Amino acid sequence: MTTTKTDTIEGTVAEYVTAVIGGQLFGLPISRVQDVFMPERLTRVPLASAEIAGVLNLRGRIVTVVDMRARLGLPKNDDGKPPMAVGVDLRGESYGLLIDQIGEVLRLPDASREENPVNLDPRFAKLAGGVHRLDGQLMVVLDVDRVLEITPDLMAA
């Protein structure tokens, strides 16, 4: 089997799908992103925490939708624009992460990834797996596993 260029540099370059939540740039490892979609016909889940926006049927799969603003302790979005959602999987379950807007895919060298700075907003730090300093802004790398660490009774919903 021949090795492609991406195979040989895979250890040094990471790809991220970027998203904006509350004015902050976040990056989700592209390997964790299943799809990007506009959430429609969201059904509320009775007694679920505020972080669970509801569930929806996406191409025949039931998807639990997590409100990333609530998860990050940010106020609700009131700009009137419809939210987007990034589809991720965890242990065979499908989730949609509600975000304000989707960005581009960035290829960034692993070497430029830094530990969470001490002055990083603690609400972001608990869900972050490091940061990348880009031109004039900080991209917080979301740790999808930590984002989805929601109380076990909600996982059964």
Side-chain angles (χ1 to χ4, degrees):
M1 186 171 130
T2 60
T3 317
T4 64
K5 194 179 264 185
T6 51
D7 287 340
T8 57
I9 60 169
E10 196 162 299
T12 59
V13 174
E15 290 185 297
Y16 299 96
V17 174
T18 60
V20 176
I21 308 165
Q24 173 63 52
L25 182 69
F26 289 91
L28 290 102
I30 201 165
S31 60
R32 298 299 303 269
V33 174
Q34 304 294 314
D35 51 15
V36 175
F37 59 94
M38 299 278 293
E40 294 175 12
R41 295 190 298 285
L42 208 54
T43 304
R44 295 282 311 151
V45 177
L47 307 178
S49 77
E51 297 175 354
I52 303 297
V55 295
L56 56 80
N57 183 328
L58 182 66
R59 295 186 284 284
R61 291 189 77 176
I62 299 300
V63 176
T64 302
V65 179
V66 178
D67 183 338
M68 286 304 296
R69 280 180 165 264
R71 190 77 180 96
L72 291 164
L74 299 172
K76 287 204 173 299
N77 193 1
D78 57 4
D79 67 3
K81 292 182 188 154
M84 297 288 301
V86 177
V88 295
D89 272 19
L90 178 68
R91 293 189 286 278
E93 293 293 320
S94 296
Y95 296 88
L97 306 180
L98 274 189
I99 60 170
D100 297 342
Q101 71 186 78
I102 195 76
E104 57 193 342
V105 173
L106 294 180
R107 290 174 57 91
L108 300 170
D110 278 343
S112 74
R113 182 170 168 166
E114 302 173 24
E115 293 293 315
N116 294 343
V118 292
N119 61 347
L120 183 64
D121 186 319
R123 299 172 298 184
F124 301 165
K126 68 181 183 194
L127 302 177
V131 297
H132 281 280
R133 294 180 195 279
L134 306 176
D135 294 335
Q137 64 181 330
L138 195 66
M139 183 186 83
V140 177
V141 177
L142 278 178
D143 181 324
V144 174
D145 293 338
R146 277 194 238 159
V147 167
L148 296 176
E149 276 175 10
I150 302 170
T151 55
D153 54 311
L154 291 176
M155 300 301 238

